[in-house]
Amino acid sequence: MRSLAGSKIRALRKNAGLTQGELAQRTGISPSYLNLIEMNKRTVAGALIDRVAAGLGVERSELDDTAERRTIDGLNELLSDPAFSGRPQGPSTDLEFVSRHPEWADLLLRVYRAFIDRNQSVLALADRLNRDPFLGESVHRILTNVTAIRSASEILETDDRLSDAQRSRFLRIVAADSESLSATARALATFFDNPEMRVQSGTAMEQVDALMLDSDNYFGELEQVADDFRKRREFAGAIAGACDAASEEFNAPLDSVESRRFRAIMQMSTPLAQPAVMRLVGTHPALASEEARSYAASALHAYVAAAILMPYEQFLDATERRRYDLDALSRQFAVSYEQASHRLATLRRPGAEGVRFAFMRSDPSGYITKRLPLPALPLPRYSNACPLWAIYAAFQSPGATVRSFGTLPGGDRFLFFARAIEKRPQTVAFPRHLLSIMLVCPAADASRVVYADGLDAQVSVPVGTTCRMCPRHQCGHRQEAPLFL
């Protein structure tokens, strides 16, 4: 996906009454280069975007296109849904549509999310109607009561030879079965009115995704909370004591030491982090439901715990020195592979950024449990990703890192690397619990990352995003036909 920053720059320049030459002079670039930026043919970032913002007399944040990129990601997910078919016109349609008609694009996504909610609710109700023993027993009782009432009523209506005692007995049968029928009906009404029966789609998690994307997955206020925590406590002592407490409290002997340490630090830091977390979840417009705010609060408290265990400056320095080697980082900071992976995706402090990564976590069924996309690499939510992505190959050899360069149909190249980790070891009753963690960075940054070492940069796997969105008709791994030609 191309950046929309150029379109914003052009609109703001025209509103300010500036020519391309005047803005180029203020910015210190040539008019021809500014023209390429405004045509979205060149990216604008770092110090240059600061100079452009200063030349326009606006804040840097006004040139940010995170919200638009999130909208385009949502539209791509809509088009990948098998319930819909066809793709309008060419590959630039979504970019032009969002740029020219942002309100309609947002409305379309809200309609799609409403469709997902209703569809999931219908599926859940159908499943419960088919499987829930309470419903089966209730229907059986209703049929029994109706049959008894009907039989008694027919006898009362047609048999003139009934004595008063017999008539009274049949009336009592009708009354008793009617009361039983009424009670069953009330129980069914209560069952369907139960708020726990409501089924949501991924909407709440999408709202949390929006919070993370809007903030570029970096929260300066929470980083400060982590710094304050370390200053208030003797760090090593807090870790050691917290681990022992966590082991007893959570009674999870199969958990790793790193997991118990993380949970303990998260619990200890919650009182200090609570005000900042509540400000974030209470004021951010993306969090429209209580469920989303609850998920977001949990994610932000985990963010604080990660920042305590892996302080920003120290961790960034270590990542650059160790070239983003997750095993080395895990050992240095005494954290798990997953914790170090997730922290890499938060190194977005303005002026002190690390390599920008997409983050994705999946279970063996292909269900995506966490995701953080890149601008040119939308990650699916409602369907599996491309089967050629390293995240799935990693399940074939748990504990080993699977890596490759991949090229999308549009020509964008990325370095993919993934590892299947064990969340719970195998027991007598249950198989081991595996999750695959994948990080993806632009191929242009691959030289900074140890996982590119030994790979031939000229050899790149032709990948897509999802089968429904991929135009590679001859792909031997294709599971579904593409939605567009």
Side-chain angles (χ1 to χ4, degrees):
M1 182 203 318
R2 292 177 288 165
S3 171
L4 288 170
S7 302
K8 288 192 170 186
I9 291 170
R10 182 174 64 250
L12 290 169
R13 175 179 61 78
K14 290 182 176 180
N15 289 341
L18 297 173
T19 66
Q20 280 189 337
E22 289 170 335
L23 180 58
Q25 185 176 14
R26 293 184 182 186
T27 308
I29 59 177
S30 67
S32 60
Y33 191 77
L34 177 60
N35 181 62
L36 291 173
I37 290 175
E38 291 191 354
M39 296 295 291
N40 294 310
K41 294 182 178 180
R42 293 291 186 275
T43 58
V44 54
L48 178 56
I49 199 169
D50 290 328
R51 299 204 306 271
V52 172
L56 291 168
V58 299
E59 296 292 330
R60 174 185 173 129
S61 59
E62 290 194 41
L63 302 182
D64 179 56
D65 63 353
T66 299
E68 289 84 355
R69 286 191 279 107
R70 187 176 68 251
T71 299
I72 293 177
D73 287 346
L75 292 176
N76 284 332
E77 288 177 358
L78 185 158
L79 290 172
S80 69
D81 193 314
F84 302 92
S85 62
R87 183 184 179 90
Q89 300 182 13
S92 64
T93 299
D94 48 8
L95 177 69
E96 296 171 358
F97 179 55
V98 173
S99 179
R100 296 180 182 181
H101 308 289
E103 297 86 359
W104 281 103
D106 288 339
L107 177 61
L108 181 60
L109 286 183
R110 289 200 300 272
V111 170
Y112 177 58
R113 287 163 187 154
F115 162 80
I116 290 294
D117 281 339
R118 300 303 182 272
N119 193 45
Q120 292 294 327
S121 295
V122 169
L123 291 175
L125 287 171
D127 185 63
R128 295 202 68 171
L129 285 170
N130 285 326
R131 299 174 184 270
D132 200 303
F134 169 77
L135 292 174
E137 293 169 3
S138 296
V139 170
H140 178 73
R141 285 198 301 271
I142 288 173
L143 291 175
T144 300
N145 293 147
V146 168
T147 300
I149 292 170
R150 181 175 180 179
S151 297
S153 298
E154 288 177 348
I155 293 173
L156 287 169
E157 181 180 7
T158 60
D159 195 337
D160 296 332
R161 297 170 298 173
L162 292 175
S163 66
D164 289 344
Q166 290 173 322
R167 187 172 296 275
S168 296
R169 182 166 64 86
F170 280 111
L171 286 173
R172 287 195 299 272
I173 291 173
V174 171
D177 283 316
S178 296
E179 178 58 32
S180 177
L181 179 62
S182 177
T184 303
R186 287 195 298 270
L188 279 173
T190 301
F191 175 83
F192 284 111
D193 284 341
N194 183 354
E196 294 182 358
M197 268 294 294
R198 293 191 58 80
V199 177
Q200 299 292 326
S201 69
T203 301
M205 293 308 298
E206 285 181 347
Q207 293 172 24
V208 177
D209 284 348
L211 168 67
M212 299 302 174
L213 289 171
D214 281 349
S215 64
D216 208 9
N217 204 34
Y218 173 79
F219 299 90
E221 188 175 3
L222 300 185
E223 298 284 349
Q224 185 60 54
V225 170
D227 288 342
D228 293 343
F229 179 89
R230 287 192 298 272
K231 292 174 184 176
R232 291 188 185 192
R233 295 179 180 273
E234 203 281 311
F235 188 51
I239 288 287
C243 280
D244 292 340
S247 180
E248 296 173 4
E249 178 178 351
F250 291 96
N251 192 25
L254 297 181
D255 281 358
S256 67
V257 172
E258 293 84 5
S259 295
R260 285 184 280 125
R261 177 183 291 116
F262 190 91
R263 260 202 320 273
I265 291 299
M266 183 172 167
Q267 182 185 44
M268 293 173 63
S269 62
T270 291
L272 184 63
Q274 187 73 357
V277 168
M278 288 299 100
R279 279 194 298 273
L280 286 167
V281 303
T283 60
H284 199 281
L287 304 176
S289 68
E290 189 59 39
E291 182 182 14
R293 287 187 284 273
S294 176
Y295 283 139
S298 178
L300 294 177
H301 280 297
Y303 183 104
V304 173
I308 291 170
L309 289 167
M310 295 166 277
Y312 194 97
E313 292 83 0
Q314 296 176 33
F315 192 74
L316 177 61
D317 177 68
T319 59
E320 293 293 343
R321 285 189 292 104
R322 298 183 180 278
R323 300 181 59 232
Y324 296 84
D325 185 333
L326 287 165
D327 292 305
L329 293 169
S330 298
R331 290 191 295 269
Q332 179 175 340
F333 291 90
V335 296
S336 70
Y337 181 93
E338 180 179 3
Q339 291 161 10
S341 299
H342 202 273
R343 184 59 167 155
L344 284 186
T346 69
L347 298 180
R348 307 305 309 154
R349 177 179 290 174
E353 298 96 339
V355 170
R356 191 185 200 100
F357 288 102
F359 177 93
M360 183 172 167
R361 187 179 73 183
S362 171
D363 69 11
S365 75
Y367 184 81
I368 300 168
T369 57
K370 274 189 182 180
R371 64 170 199 162
L372 184 71
L374 283 172
L377 184 71
L379 302 180
R381 172 172 294 283
Y382 300 116
S383 60
N384 292 351
C386 173
L388 292 172
W389 283 10
I391 191 168
Y392 302 122
F395 283 116
Q396 299 175 19
S397 52
T401 301
V402 177
R403 56 204 179 100
S404 67
F405 285 101
T407 302
L408 293 181
D412 293 300
R413 296 180 68 249
F414 297 91
L415 171 65
F416 295 79
F417 56 99
R419 179 181 296 181
I421 62 170
E422 191 172 65
K423 294 292 284 187
R424 292 284 192 281
Q426 185 170 338
T427 64
V428 172
F430 295 98
R432 59 180 175 169
H433 181 194
L434 293 175
L435 291 175
S436 184
I437 308 293
M438 182 177 74
L439 289 169
V440 188
C441 70
D445 293 324
S447 61
R448 298 170 60 186
V449 181
V450 70
Y451 297 100
D453 291 357
L455 293 179
D456 187 345
Q458 303 304 314
V459 177
S460 189
V461 179
V463 300
T465 50
T466 67
C467 285
R468 300 288 276 175
M469 291 295 295
C470 182
R472 302 186 193 278
H473 294 275
Q474 303 306 315
C475 177
H477 294 264
R478 177 176 290 283
Q479 298 297 321
E480 295 179 287
L483 289 174
F484 51 93
L485 299 177

